[in-house]
Each structure stands twice: as C-alpha cells, then as structure tokens.
Amino acid sequence: MSIDRRRWITAYATFALFTVLAGQFWRNLLGWWGFGIIAAVVLIGAIALVVQVRPTWIWRRVPKSTLVFVLLATASIAWSFYPGASALGVAITLATTFTAVALVLCLNWTQIVRCLGGALKWVLGLSLAFELWVAIFVGGPVLPNFPDFEVTGEKLPMAFYWSRGLLFDGGPIEGIVASRNLLAMAALLGLIVFGAMLAAGSVRRASGITWIVVAGVVFALTRSATVILVAVIVLVALGFALWARRVGPDRRRGVYWTAGAALVTSVALLIGLWDRLLDLFGKSEDLTGRFDIWNSVIGLASERPWFGWGWVGYWVPWVEPFEGLAVRKGVTYLQAHNAWLDVWMQLGIIGVIAFASIVIGALWRSWFLAVDRPMDAAGRPLPHSAAALVPLLLLVALIGQSFAESRLLIESGWLLLIAIAWSTKRRQWEHEPLPAEPVPVPASRMPPPGVAR
C-alpha cells in the first residue's frame, strides 16, 4: 500500500471517528443540514474505502447477532407506530453500521485504535480550546450557531447552551460536544486508549503522558458523576483482567468467584448507601429526572412488550409517542437514558435479546482476547500486549454508560460496539496477538527513496 493511500485511509478513519464522537459539535456549528452533509461525506468515504481496499469477506468471521439485530430493526418498519420515523432511524443505523464494518474490514485493530486516539485528541484538544475561548472572550454561556429552539430573550434552560463558560470556575465544562457527560466519556475513552498505547510503546513517552494528562484534566473538569462511576467499573475490570493474566487459565476459577462476590457486594452497598452516594455526587433523588423518564418508557414498553413500537434510534420529537414523553424543566430529552429500556420500548423483548447477544458476545470475546496468552502461527506462546486490553476496557465503559445513557444505540456508542464485535470475531480465527504498532519515525529521519535502512 502506498504512503499516500495509507495517509488517506488514516485521515478518513480519524475524521469518521471524530464525527461520531462529536456529532453535536457539527450540529451546533453548522446546523442539522450541515451535519447531514458531514454525515453523507463520512458514508461516501466508507463506500470509497471498501471499493479501494476490496477487503475479503469470510462468513465465519461475521458476528451473526449484528445481522439479526439490524434485520429486526429494519423489519420493525412494517409494524412501527411511526413508520416514517422508523425508516429514517433504520437508515441512520445502517449507515453507522456500514461505516463501522468498513473500518474493521479495511484497517487492522491497532490502526483503528491509533485513529480513535487521533479523533479523541481532536475532541479533547478542541474542547479545552473552545472552553478557554468562551471563558476569556465571552465570559458567559454560549448558544449554538443554529439553535433548534426559539430564542426569545427570556431565560433559557442551561441545557440549551453550547457551553456555560465555567472553565475558570472549575467546571463543569461541556466542550465542543455540548454535554459534560459526553465529554467525560470521551476523556475516559482517551485515558484507556492513550494509556494502552503508552504501555505498549506505540507512542513516544512524552506525547503519551501529555495526552493522558489532558484527558485527565478534561475528565476532572466535567465533574460527571455518571462517568466517574463508569471509570470505577473500568478500573475494576482492568484489575480482574490483569489478575486473570497472571494466574493463567488453569487457576481462574478464583478470579470468577471473586468477581461474582464483588458484584453482589457492590449491588448491596449501592442499595444500602444510595442516599449518601446521591449526596456525594450532588444528584437529586430521581437521578436528575431519570426515574420519571424510565417510568414513562417502561409504561410504553409494557403496551407493546414483545416487538416494541418500532426502531427509531434517537427519538424524533415530532411524532407520537415521543412528543412530550420526557420533558424536565423545559428541556425535552430524546432518549430513555438507558439503552436497554430504549431497545425494549423500540424493539420489544425480542430486540433486547438480539441486542444482548451483540453485547455479551463481544464482551465474551474481548475478555478472552485480553486475558489469554496469544500464540503465533506455530502455536508458541507470545507475551501479553497492552493493546489486547483495549477492546475489553472500551466495551466495559460503553456498557457502564448504557445504564444511564442511550448513547450505545447511536453515533460513537453504536459504531464502537459494532467495531469491537466484528474485530473480536475476526480475531477468533487469526493468530496475530494484537501487537502495538511501532512509534512512527519522523519524516526528517526517514531515508530517501531507494536508500537501504
């Protein structure tokens, strides 16, 4: 592959991942029509990528659960309560799924991780720069360039603003994604990716440490209670994975028993210390309105329990039953704030089973990819790689977020879920041990063409 072609693929993959991570940035900057153009560019780029690379398609390396879920979502148009909105939602889901599969088929996993790291750097770096600009030159809240609400001059809910301009107050900051929870999640993903790349030696030490610090600062400034809890879960998963690596496959029963006991204990402590935890994180008793939203969604799901109301992904507020379904303090929320309840409402119990199959299958494969010692083509054991932990830790973070946000069903959440599901399935049939890519050599040190190294 030529250098120019490799650079094009890397640039496209980074741009695509940035777009799904920071979709709200494009919507606030360019409006919905501008975002639509950007999304079309990403989809056309995915098609061009497949045409250029022409990857091989091997049926046994395809996670069938993904196909079942997508087919079910598409079929739901037939019984949907809102067929037009379902057709739109299915089209968006298919486009996101195709982009994820294109990246997996045309890039190896270490390349995807490197591009994901590049996209996260853009999100975090631009977010800090944006918040600094707002704090210095605006000194107060900033509205989107193209608000999808009426600006009357009256006081607006703070959730309507792109940024509240609280950087010099210590946060919370929203960054370019206009949400402290989404920005905190990007920072957490950054900590996972940058940390693994640094440990694997695939980035220069100074660069790796710098971006870990940036991600940590952004994470702290968001002050997101939800993602703090998700980070704790990720750390626990990392601890168990390293323990399982150390003891080997013959002595892992203790790891699994301990993990089960820790889960039961955590649930018991969560129930017993619920009020204190709410006080600690500054949350209201209804988790910032989530209980009301969950009750409304459960009520709707109970009316059509088996096949749901029809797939839509991100709620559309102009059709029933979403219009006015989740309104709190003047803000209309377009998600169930729980991916599992969202799937139940949209695709019923059958949909939940199909969705759980994707998640559980990907988690199962990610776990053994992370803890089992890799083998070469001759069956000889190879050293563990820090890169092999990335799919597991990313997926654990996404699953943890799925109980408080529905992000797993759209944009970055769905793309990363499908990418992990497909890449780990492909690795079941390959001996490559997920090595880290070598640190790039600066252009100034590259020998001229035709000169031996």
Side-chain angles (χ1 to χ4, degrees), residues 27 262 284 342 391:
R27 291 187 284 271
S284 59
D342 233 332

Side-chain angles (χ1 to χ4, degrees), residues 305-334:
W306 288 101
F307 291 93
W309 290 73
W311 181 252
V312 70
Y314 202 68
W315 296 359
V316 287
W318 59 84
V319 300
E320 292 289 345
F322 302 114
E323 186 176 5
L325 177 61
V327 180
R328 184 176 186 272
K329 295 183 179 180
V331 180
T332 299
Y333 292 93
L334 302 178

Side-chain angles (χ1 to χ4, degrees), residues 213-230:
V213 171
V214 170
V217 169
V218 172
F219 184 86
L221 288 172
T222 60
R223 292 162 51 181
S224 171
T226 300
V227 185
I228 289 174
L229 292 177
V230 173

Side-chain angles (χ1 to χ4, degrees), residues 35-50:
F35 170 73
I37 294 173
I38 295 294
V41 169
V42 171
L43 178 58
I44 293 171
I47 296 172
L49 180 63
V50 173

Side-chain angles (χ1 to χ4, degrees), residues 76-129:
S76 72
I77 298 174
W79 66 78
S80 173
F81 189 77
Y82 32 81
S86 281
L88 176 61
V90 168
I92 294 172
T93 299
L94 289 175
T96 309
T97 303
F98 179 81
T99 302
V101 173
L103 292 177
V104 171
L105 295 180
C106 299
L107 287 79
N108 62 44
W109 177 251
T110 51
Q111 290 172 326
I112 293 176
V113 171
R114 186 179 291 279
C115 292
L116 176 60
L120 288 167
K121 289 176 183 178
W122 280 103
V123 172
L124 299 177
L126 286 177
S127 290
L128 281 179

Side-chain angles (χ1 to χ4, degrees), residues 403-415:
F403 291 100
E405 305 283 344
S406 297
R407 195 73 183 175
L408 191 56
L409 307 179
I410 60 171
E411 295 188 336
S412 60
W414 183 253
L415 187 144

Side-chain angles (χ1 to χ4, degrees), residues 225-251:
T226 300
V227 185
I228 289 174
L229 292 177
V230 173
V232 172
I233 297 172
V234 171
L235 286 174
V236 171
L238 174 61
F240 277 109
L242 295 178
W243 183 13
R245 279 185 173 188
R246 184 171 60 84
V247 300
D250 297 332
R251 299 170 56 193

